[in-house]
Amino acid sequence: MNIELKPYQEKAVEELVSTVKGLLEKEGQKKVCVFQAPTGSGKTIMTAKFIEEIIKELVYENLCFIWVSIGKGDLHLQSKRCLEEIFGGAPRVSLVEEEFTGGRERIVKNEIAVANWEKLRSKDRRTGDWKNVLMKDGDGKNFRDVLVKTKEQRKIILIIDESHIGATAERTNELREEINADVILEMSATPKIQPDPRDMARGMAGFIFIEPAEVINSGMIKKELIINEKIDEIGNNETDSQEIVMEAAYQKRKELKKLFEAEKSIVNPLTLVQIPTAEAGEDKIKAVKEFLTRKGITEKNRKLAIWTADEKSAALGPKKEWVKDLDNEIEFLIFKQAIDTGWDCPRAHILVKFRESHSETFEIQTVGRILRMPEQKHYASEPLNIGYIYTNVQSIIVKKEEYNPNIIKHLPAKRVAAYKPTNIISYYKSRADYGDITSSFTPVFEEVSCKYFGLKGDHIFPSQNIEKLEQTGMILDIKEYQQDIITDAKIDAKVFDEIEGKIDADAFARLTIAGNDLQALFEQVIKNNLGSFKNIKRSVPKVKTAIYSWFRKYLGAKDWPEEAILVQMIFLHNGNRRQFERVLADAIEKYKTIRGQEIKKKIEESEQWYEFEIAPKSFYNKHADEKIDSKKYVYDPCYLNVDRYTPEKQFEKFLNENFGKIVWWWKNGENKKDYFGIKYEYPEGVIHTFYPDYLVQLTDGRIGVFEVKEAGDRDGKTYTKAKNEKLQEYIKEQNNQGKNFFGGIVLEKNGRWKINQKEKYNWAKCERNDWSDWEDLKF
């Protein structure tokens, strides 16, 4: 299965391989690597790719894997299906409960044996005996015998999926003892056990961490989850809370469907309806079905499905996986608690949660089913990047997320009546640069290589091209290289540079690097020459393709036996390597400009200018935002991010002190169409979005646009200069169209607030007081 990983995923896979390889080299058992990744980041895909990569890199190592899933549901079956889809048949994926009940003696090389944690660890409380036949002593072999036999021949990597559940339980530790793995990989969004720093310092433990912001910015999960949006606009005092909640969800689903259609997307958004597990749940199911029937949504027309422990409706079909299809016809899915663990449906966009008590605690783990983005990207229509929760719980408690971002928003604030439409033109662009080399590098490498070696496009005659290269001192005797390929010989790539040029040919015959180590060295040379392209995982394959393509086209490599190995040996030969590295470095340097043009074109194709208005309503999180007693803020009540830096807080104090001259003021945000942006470039040709810190409507009709800096601004000569000059240009353009804007970079010096409105921003002059006082502007 060809999966293009996100940049953060590629980095994590690389770190996992490197860390686990290091742990395998250490003596001892049960060395732990903790892999902490947010809900929705793709932990299964990353770990599967880790398995593929470590098998490739440790081709001579005898490894196998045991993948243990947690909980009482069918997460292990889902994991097995997912792994099989990714691997496409190799390596082998087996189910412990099906294949290790007495027949097989051991887990074979590179095999992934998938098991359910709860089934394996279960013991009789009274006797302490194993309950599961897989673990019991008996006439046939149990799984514990299989593990012993396996350990005799190969190393075991134990992978614990969602390790936070039961991670400190006594029987969990017993399971670790029974498996006795060489390395234990624990993956979770919220791991209960962290590696001992002393073990990490000694290389006996590892910790791979993914920043939640990277997952959001890559479009894998929604930007935020809002509780009870616009619910106060629905119904009346005579309408019960259950009816209001369902109506709000119904209306929101209709809205989202239209927005997906406008985006030319096939996604049919799904609403999940979670009912109480108590007896009252049956009454709730009946009431929900009656409501939906009035809307033309029934099991009969397959727009409604029910999934509880007791009932699975025909709409789910023989395979409940069908409901996951992006264009599946099911619009509402009623479920009880059973769906929470181990079931992913990226098109699930709305969660309806009926109260089981007067209060309910919401956290990422409990609402994770609506966290994922259906097509692993964010959309131009911002409501599609948000998940929606509707509930009739009287007291909503949102848990502080120590690791996952605090994206559950439950505190509403309304825009004040004093706000009038501004018709401000705003700019937004999607991310286009991942710091990587793409397939467009191939013609660049071809051009630079041909120019360097003087080939002039003469690729019709490979033999003549080989002669030309040999005239430059290159060594290209293919027959000699073929004789050097000895399959059983091996030199560690780590010491190759020390050995190179010192091998006694008579004493050691024709010793060569094994193919696996040769490949590693070839890739390392490429990595060393990538320059400013920091995304190694995405770039190296494209550079390798360019090199192979050039060898095929100009030197006839497609007719060589062991083509890839011969190309790598020629490239790395002591007499050739320096010239090839020079060509590669020159090609990458030339490619920078071309890649920059590609990125600029991609941005220009996706960028948008639109009339911006501050939203009528906004939602906040009590752990990420603080309630401020503020005058004239555009929302009531006023919530501001707790992580604002000191100059911003001081500026807000200044605004409050001058409230008599202000109609409203607003703190801007970043990276969303809900925020106000201006296009600028720095350096020239590199496009960015500038999100000014504050918009302020004054009583005299002017709208101020301000970016707050501190006196010692370290970006004064670079980004700040580019931002301010573009802001002044923007203000001039808008005022020429009848607007009444002013603004600039603002800072506090010697207790007084000053502003810079110069068309040309000179930081040296700024430091010498090239600023205007607010009083001069009649603020």
Side-chain angles (χ1 to χ4, degrees), residues 250-266:
Y250 171 77
Q251 295 293 346
K252 176 56 67 175
R253 206 207 74 83
K254 281 179 58 179
E255 175 193 336
L256 295 177
K257 177 60 177 170
K258 289 180 181 178
L259 291 174
F260 274 119
E261 290 171 353
E263 294 271 353
K264 309 295 186 199
S265 171
I266 65 169

Side-chain angles (χ1 to χ4, degrees), residues 332-542:
F332 282 77
L333 176 61
I334 299 173
F335 72 98
K336 286 187 180 180
Q337 215 63 33
I339 203 173
D340 281 358
T341 301
W343 183 80
D344 297 326
C345 182
R347 74 181 183 95
H349 219 115
I350 301 167
L351 173 64
V352 174
K353 193 173 176 66
F354 291 118
R355 64 171 176 242
E356 295 196 52
S357 62
H358 291 298
S359 67
E360 181 80 28
T361 299
F362 288 86
E363 56 184 315
I364 290 292
Q365 293 290 340
T366 61
V367 297
R369 301 288 73 78
I370 62 166
L371 192 60
R372 291 164 175 79
M373 291 299 295
E375 297 176 283
Q376 297 189 357
K377 67 175 185 178
H378 288 148
Y379 301 94
S381 180
E382 204 61 45
L384 297 178
N385 304 323
I386 299 170
Y388 301 90
I389 303 165
Y390 293 99
T391 180
N392 62 350
V393 175
Q394 292 178 3
S395 176
I396 296 172
I397 303 166
V398 174
K399 183 179 178 182
K400 182 178 182 181
E401 301 288 346
E402 298 295 342
Y403 169 55
N404 284 301
N406 290 290
I407 62 174
I408 302 177
K409 308 295 178 66
H410 65 297
L411 301 172
K414 289 185 177 181
R415 194 177 63 194
V416 296
Y419 178 90
K420 304 301 179 193
T422 59
N423 300 316
I424 297 175
I425 300 301
S426 183
Y427 171 80
Y428 178 81
K429 70 174 181 66
S430 301
R431 183 178 178 182
D433 182 15
Y434 291 94
D436 62 335
I437 289 173
T438 67
S439 57
S440 59
F441 177 69
T442 295
V444 178
F445 182 80
E446 179 179 323
E447 179 187 345
V448 172
S449 299
C450 288
K451 182 178 180 181
Y452 182 88
F453 294 115
L455 300 188
K456 299 180 181 178
D458 304 325
H459 59 274
I460 300 174
F461 306 106
S463 59
Q464 293 180 16
N465 290 339
I466 288 174
E467 286 182 18
K468 286 185 178 182
L469 264 69
E470 287 179 334
Q471 290 170 9
T472 69
M474 305 289 279
I475 300 170
L476 294 171
D477 188 338
I478 305 303
K479 291 182 180 178
E480 183 175 332
Y481 281 110
Q482 286 177 242
Q483 292 170 1
D484 284 348
I485 299 175
I486 303 174
T487 56
D488 293 331
K490 179 182 178 184
I491 299 174
D492 192 338
K494 296 174 195 167
V495 297
F496 179 72
D497 286 327
E498 300 172 18
I499 295 173
E500 193 173 34
K502 301 176 185 176
I503 299 175
D504 185 335
D506 294 330
F508 294 96
R510 294 189 178 276
L511 191 63
T512 186
I513 305 177
N516 189 60
D517 293 330
L518 181 72
Q519 167 111 331
L521 183 59
F522 180 57
E523 292 183 354
Q524 189 57 53
V525 170
I526 293 173
K527 292 175 187 177
N528 293 344
N529 287 279
L530 288 178
S532 60
F533 294 98
K534 302 302 182 184
N535 195 318
I536 293 172
K537 201 72 176 178
R538 291 167 75 104
S539 299
V540 169
K542 299 300 188 294

Side-chain angles (χ1 to χ4, degrees), residues 23-31 61-66 100 104-111 142-158 175-184:
L23 293 175
L24 287 169
E25 292 171 0
K26 299 289 184 180
E27 295 293 328
Q29 308 297 314
K30 297 187 283 293
K31 299 177 288 290
E61 193 75 71
N62 212 330
L63 297 175
C64 70
F65 307 83
I66 300 176
F100 295 94
R104 291 182 54 186
E105 284 196 344
R106 59 178 59 86
I107 304 169
V108 301
K109 182 178 179 180
N110 297 337
E111 181 179 7
N142 59 38
F143 189 57
R144 290 182 292 131
D145 296 328
V146 171
L147 294 173
V148 172
K149 286 285 187 182
T150 300
K151 284 288 290 182
E152 292 173 357
Q153 293 191 358
R154 56 191 53 93
K155 293 180 179 179
I156 296 175
I157 297 176
L158 170 63
L175 176 61
R176 290 178 179 149
E177 292 297 322
E178 289 292 337
I179 291 182
N180 195 28
D182 294 86
V183 175
I184 301 169

Side-chain angles (χ1 to χ4, degrees), residues 126-331:
R126 184 176 58 82
T127 65
D129 295 333
W130 296 99
K131 284 185 176 181
N132 196 305
V133 68
L134 288 165
M135 305 297 281
K136 275 183 179 180
D137 292 320
D139 295 334
K141 287 183 173 62
N142 59 38
F143 189 57
R144 290 182 292 131
D145 296 328
V146 171
L147 294 173
V148 172
K149 286 285 187 182
T150 300
K151 284 288 290 182
E152 292 173 357
Q153 293 191 358
R154 56 191 53 93
K155 293 180 179 179
I156 296 175
I157 297 176
L158 170 63
I159 299 169
I160 305 177
D161 191 5
E162 302 292 1
S163 64
H164 62 280
I165 299 182
T168 59
E170 182 180 346
R171 281 177 292 174
T172 296
N173 292 326
E174 288 175 355
L175 176 61
R176 290 178 179 149
E177 292 297 322
E178 289 292 337
I179 291 182
N180 195 28
D182 294 86
V183 175
I184 301 169
L185 176 60
E186 299 192 8
M187 54 178 183
S188 171
T190 53
K192 295 285 181 66
I193 299 174
Q194 299 288 347
D196 189 320
R198 293 169 297 182
D199 289 339
M200 291 181 65
R202 293 186 297 116
M204 297 297 290
F207 183 55
I208 287 89
F209 176 89
I210 294 179
E211 288 284 355
E214 290 184 282
V215 183
I216 295 175
N217 293 339
S218 69
M220 286 290 286
I221 63 177
K222 296 182 174 71
K223 294 181 180 180
E224 58 188 21
L225 304 177
I226 294 179
I227 299 178
N228 287 344
E229 185 203 45
K230 298 181 180 178
I231 203 163
D232 54 343
E233 300 174 12
I234 294 175
N236 51 55
N237 293 335
E238 296 180 2
T239 307
D240 67 32
S241 63
Q242 180 175 290
E243 190 88 0
I244 291 173
V245 165
M246 286 300 301
E247 183 65 32
Y250 171 77
Q251 295 293 346
K252 176 56 67 175
R253 206 207 74 83
K254 281 179 58 179
E255 175 193 336
L256 295 177
K257 177 60 177 170
K258 289 180 181 178
L259 291 174
F260 274 119
E261 290 171 353
E263 294 271 353
K264 309 295 186 199
S265 171
I266 65 169
V267 173
N268 185 28
L270 177 67
T271 299
L272 304 177
V273 182
Q274 182 175 346
I275 60 172
T277 54
E279 291 183 9
E282 297 307 313
D283 294 333
K284 281 284 189 290
I285 292 178
K286 183 179 178 181
V288 170
K289 289 173 72 172
E290 287 177 354
F291 172 86
L292 293 174
T293 298
R294 296 198 301 272
K295 303 293 186 180
I297 299 169
T298 65
E299 290 179 274
K300 189 174 182 179
N301 64 19
R302 304 184 68 82
K303 292 184 178 182
L304 168 65
I306 299 173
W307 183 2
T308 68
D310 306 318
E311 181 179 4
K312 289 181 183 175
S313 65
L316 279 173
K319 294 184 179 180
K320 63 178 179 292
E321 299 302 308
W322 293 355
V323 75
K324 297 181 182 182
D325 294 343
L326 296 183
D327 58 350
N328 185 273
E329 59 201 329
I330 297 172
E331 298 176 358

